[in-house]
Amino acid sequence: MAGDPIPPTIEWVGDRIRLIDQRRLPGELTVIDVTSVGQLCDLISTLAVRGAPALGAAGAMGVALASMHDLDIAATARRLKATRPTAVNLAWGVDRAVASDDPVAEAQRIAAEDVDTNRRLGAAGAALVPDGANVLTHCNAGSLACVGYGTALGVLRAASEAGKTLHVWVDETRPLLQGARLTAWELQRLAIPCTLVIDAMAASIMAAGGVDLVVVGADRVAANGDVANKIGTYGLAVLARHHRIPFHVAMPLSTIDPDTADGASIVIERRDPNEVVELAGHRVGPEGIDVDNRAFDVTPAALVTSWITDVGVVRSPAELLVARRRLSRPL
Amino acid sequence: MAGDPIPPTIEWVGDRIRLIDQRRLPGELTVIDVTSVGQLCDLISTLAVRGAPALGAAGAMGVALASMHDLDIAATARRLKATRPTAVNLAWGVDRAVASDDPVAEAQRIAAEDVDTNRRLGAAGAALVPDGANVLTHCNAGSLACVGYGTALGVLRAASEAGKTLHVWVDETRPLLQGARLTAWELQRLAIPCTLVIDAMAASIMAAGGVDLVVVGADRVAANGDVANKIGTYGLAVLARHHRIPFHVAMPLSTIDPDTADGASIVIERRDPNEVVELAGHRVGPEGIDVDNRAFDVTPAALVTSWITDVGVVRSPAELLVARRRLSRPL
């Protein structure tokens, strides 16, 4: 219901992982207990749990499960990382847990840090949101994309908590509708006014003066500041530039991959064509049609107004890389 | 099946209208016999028949039905025009039949002219399509949007008939998926290679050099050349300009409304929110969510490379208006 709290996306409970099954939202809020690495890999692949920061915690918890069950840690790490090739936080979380003496404790530390990180990021970004702003966002970079609080939605949440009024345009985000299913649901719970639109309507809202800023999350940020995020993000960045609208990317420093030189080096996951041609089990395209279903695109750093991070708002790729290198935790 | 002919979208048969029920495509190719104006209005409102040129014929045939059944012609004309406020061809077809001594004959003349018009338009536009081109299109401006042959797809069809090879990126076109359901189906029948993509993927295909030109249809062109077309068209025009890709609009001269000064004067139809939040009867957004479902947007003339018409390829709005004024038929 509107106003109800949003539970943790993923947590460690006793000897298992407990996570929200995001495939069933917004109709049902249900949790799944995860007791095996194979089960976790399936849940990641089918997007029961998704979002770069949440996948960082999920990856670490997967290693924690493997360590408890005396599985081969290196093989588990490879298996987990292969489920989603674009989101760098997944590999980051796996590697942190692998490098730790106590993967279970480390996974819980990552989960706790995530919420703190997002609150800091949100507070820093809230300054960029004018009172009364109309904000456009894409996909879900909310609490459900993280352990809690959210990145892009964390910024809006912090602005709202600071007493600012705002209205959010929620792109539905085809093919899997994370905007319609997850972001709209979260904003309802947060009592932040929002309007759901199809992805292709963003340009005409901008042309009518209806968007003051765009805020999105990120799945991987390259060393030069290029941003891989949900397919459609790059187009919004081009449209924002055309309409002279600020375009902000909100993400923890752990989403920056110093080993990826630029956007051209980022592997873009291609997913099942049926995500596009089947809706709720109903076929919408003709039999035999060719489908290209890229899950992400790359926005060049030149189109990004600022990167909103847990160490503050960063305005240049060089500054971003310096901040990432200061992260005490090894990648 | 691939290679099968595409039947007429709408035709006059004896004392009734026969039209393809486009709501059932691509799963089923079925026709409906229409014997009353009320039935026709429902079919237009629910997009069983849609597309600016097809609506011109449908409007005229609606007046023909009214004349046969001795209904009040002025009231019928108002009722028909109110079903879709943006597409100017609907009003144009209604007015032509109303002004005629024999609405039945006039409606059949409009239907016959439509196919000729589109063949001329297609032949003119084919010159703009290089051999081996990758073309992006949005919504359905094919045979199904007309009585036959198509406008934007007519251009591609003429290029293909002239022996050129091409590949078409088909935007699925949310919310009603005319791209996935209708354009992909038509291109399969025409044996023109195509790939279905979500609307938000267009930008990244362009960035990767995968699009040589964009061709779309139009629902109304203002006197200054501004183009109202399916929501998402304007964003594609901005993206095409950013990537220096030609952006062509294919439409008969009857789609130009000399009485509409510019895009700002065009009424944009807003449709049922359930078109966005329900997919195949399955709810995808949370209960109570606000939805803005604009059916069209406006592309300023400055973003249009050329208007492909039945009197040839036109490069300036002034030239376009002169051509429209030479149309012998009164509006």
Side-chain angles (χ1 to χ4, degrees):
Chain A
M1 296 290 292
D4 282 358
I6 302 169
T9 299
I10 183 166
E11 55 187 331
W12 186 266
V13 180
D15 61 350
R16 59 192 57 193
I17 306 166
R18 181 165 294 160
L19 54 82
I20 296 177
D21 184 354
Q22 301 190 32
R23 298 167 302 188
R24 301 175 82 94
L25 285 172
E28 285 176 47
L29 175 60
T30 51
V31 296
I32 299 180
D33 279 4
V34 186
T35 54
S36 79
V37 172
Q39 185 190 3
L40 179 63
C41 288
D42 284 348
L43 292 167
I44 293 173
S45 298
T46 59
L47 311 197
V49 58
R50 30 65 55 196
L55 291 176
M61 290 182 190
V63 174
L65 277 183
S67 74
M68 276 182 42
H69 299 159
D70 292 326
L71 301 181
D72 180 329
I73 295 294
T76 299
R78 279 193 303 274
R79 186 174 175 191
L80 284 163
K81 288 180 185 179
T83 53
R84 302 293 310 276
T86 306
V88 74
N89 304 61
L90 175 59
W92 172 85
V94 166
D95 289 342
R96 261 187 69 173
V98 168
S100 154
D101 292 337
D102 183 348
V104 172
E106 186 71 2
Q108 291 177 278
R109 204 146 42 223
I110 287 176
E113 283 172 13
D114 175 77
V115 178
D116 287 349
T117 293
N118 296 337
R119 286 189 182 274
R120 282 201 302 280
L121 179 168
L128 300 172
V129 182
D131 189 29
N134 277 290
V135 186
L136 183 109
T137 191
H138 190 64
C139 197
N140 174 266
S143 180
L144 290 164
C146 307
V147 176
Y149 203 75
T151 54
L153 293 194
V155 169
L156 304 184
R157 194 166 172 170
S160 176
E161 286 167 3
K164 294 176 183 175
T165 60
L166 59 158
H167 166 263
V168 184
W169 296 104
V170 178
D171 274 358
E172 64 172 0
T173 316
R174 280 280 290 151
L176 295 178
L177 301 166
Q178 291 92 337
R181 296 190 302 107
L182 309 178
T183 297
W185 180 84
E186 284 197 36
L187 289 171
Q188 264 192 345
R189 292 208 157 206
L190 296 170
I192 295 175
C194 64
T195 303
L196 177 65
V197 295
I198 60 164
D199 303 313
M201 208 175 96
S204 56
I205 306 171
M206 289 183 184
V211 179
D212 297 305
L213 67 155
V214 179
V215 189
V216 297
D219 289 84
R220 180 183 302 222
V221 176
N224 74 340
D226 289 354
V227 174
N229 191 46
K230 179 56 55 198
I231 188 80
T233 302
Y234 166 62
L236 291 177
V238 172
L239 293 172
R241 176 59 53 93
H242 181 84
H243 296 92
R244 301 169 192 275
I245 295 167
F247 182 88
H248 303 291
V249 178
M251 82 286 168
L253 289 178
S254 55
T255 302
I256 304 167
D257 180 4
D259 296 332
T260 297
D262 55 30
S265 322
I266 298 174
V267 174
I268 299 296
E269 178 185 0
R270 281 180 155 81
R271 294 181 56 86
D272 187 342
N274 285 334
E275 290 182 351
V276 175
V277 289
E278 287 185 4
L279 296 181
H282 181 81
R283 190 167 177 96
V284 293
E287 293 293 337
I289 195 75
D290 181 47
V291 177
D292 190 346
N293 183 18
R294 304 178 197 175
F296 303 94
D297 59 24
V298 173
T299 300
L303 293 176
V304 178
T305 308
S306 74
W307 296 260
I308 302 170
T309 80
D310 36 318
V311 295
V313 175
V314 174
R315 299 281 183 176
S316 81
E319 202 189 326
L320 196 65
L321 195 56
V322 169
R324 175 63 182 82
R325 290 201 163 128
R326 279 202 202 112
L327 246 194
S328 55
R329 301 283 177 183
L331 183 75
Chain B
M1 296 290 293
D4 282 358
I6 302 170
T9 300
I10 182 166
E11 56 187 330
W12 186 266
V13 180
D15 60 351
R16 58 192 58 192
I17 305 166
R18 181 165 295 160
L19 54 82
I20 297 177
D21 184 354
Q22 301 190 33
R23 299 166 302 187
R24 301 176 82 94
L25 285 172
E28 284 176 48
L29 176 60
T30 51
V31 296
I32 299 180
D33 279 4
V34 185
T35 55
S36 79
V37 172
Q39 184 190 3
L40 179 62
C41 288
D42 284 348
L43 292 167
I44 293 173
S45 297
T46 58
L47 311 199
V49 58
R50 30 65 54 197
L55 291 176
M61 290 182 191
V63 174
L65 277 182
S67 74
M68 276 181 43
H69 298 159
D70 292 327
L71 302 181
D72 180 329
I73 294 294
T76 299
R78 279 194 302 274
R79 186 174 175 192
L80 284 162
K81 288 181 185 180
T83 53
R84 302 293 310 276
T86 306
V88 74
N89 305 60
L90 175 59
W92 172 86
V94 166
D95 289 342
R96 260 187 69 172
V98 168
S100 154
D101 291 336
D102 183 349
V104 172
E106 186 71 1
Q108 290 176 278
R109 204 148 38 226
I110 286 175
E113 283 172 13
D114 175 76
V115 178
D116 287 348
T117 293
N118 296 337
R119 286 189 181 274
R120 282 201 303 280
L121 178 169
L128 300 172
V129 182
D131 189 29
N134 278 289
V135 185
L136 183 107
T137 190
H138 189 65
C139 196
N140 174 267
S143 180
L144 291 165
C146 307
V147 176
Y149 203 75
T151 54
L153 293 193
V155 169
L156 304 184
R157 194 166 171 169
S160 176
E161 285 166 4
K164 294 176 182 175
T165 61
L166 59 159
H167 167 262
V168 184
W169 296 103
V170 178
D171 274 359
E172 64 172 1
T173 316
R174 280 280 290 150
L176 294 178
L177 301 165
Q178 291 92 337
R181 295 191 303 106
L182 309 178
T183 297
W185 180 84
E186 284 197 37
L187 290 170
Q188 264 192 345
R189 292 209 157 207
L190 296 170
I192 295 175
C194 64
T195 302
L196 177 64
V197 295
I198 59 163
D199 303 312
M201 208 175 96
S204 56
I205 306 171
M206 290 183 184
V211 179
D212 297 305
L213 66 155
V214 179
V215 189
V216 297
D219 289 84
R220 179 183 302 222
V221 176
N224 74 339
D226 290 354
V227 175
N229 191 46
K230 178 58 55 198
I231 187 80
T233 301
Y234 166 62
L236 290 176
V238 172
L239 294 171
R241 175 59 53 95
H242 181 83
H243 296 93
R244 300 169 193 276
I245 295 167
F247 182 88
H248 303 291
V249 178
M251 82 287 168
L253 289 178
S254 56
T255 302
I256 304 167
D257 180 5
D259 296 332
T260 298
D262 55 30
S265 323
I266 298 174
V267 175
I268 299 296
E269 178 184 1
R270 281 180 154 82
R271 293 181 58 85
D272 186 343
N274 285 334
E275 289 182 353
V276 175
V277 290
E278 286 185 4
L279 295 182
H282 181 81
R283 191 167 177 94
V284 293
E287 293 294 335
I289 195 75
D290 181 46
V291 176
D292 190 345
N293 183 19
R294 303 178 197 175
F296 303 94
D297 60 24
V298 173
T299 300
L303 293 176
V304 178
T305 308
S306 74
W307 296 260
I308 303 169
T309 79
D310 36 318
V311 295
V313 175
V314 174
R315 298 281 183 175
S316 80
E319 202 188 325
L320 197 66
L321 195 56
V322 169
R324 175 62 182 83
R325 290 201 163 128
R326 279 202 203 112
L327 246 194
S328 55
R329 300 285 178 181
L331 183 74

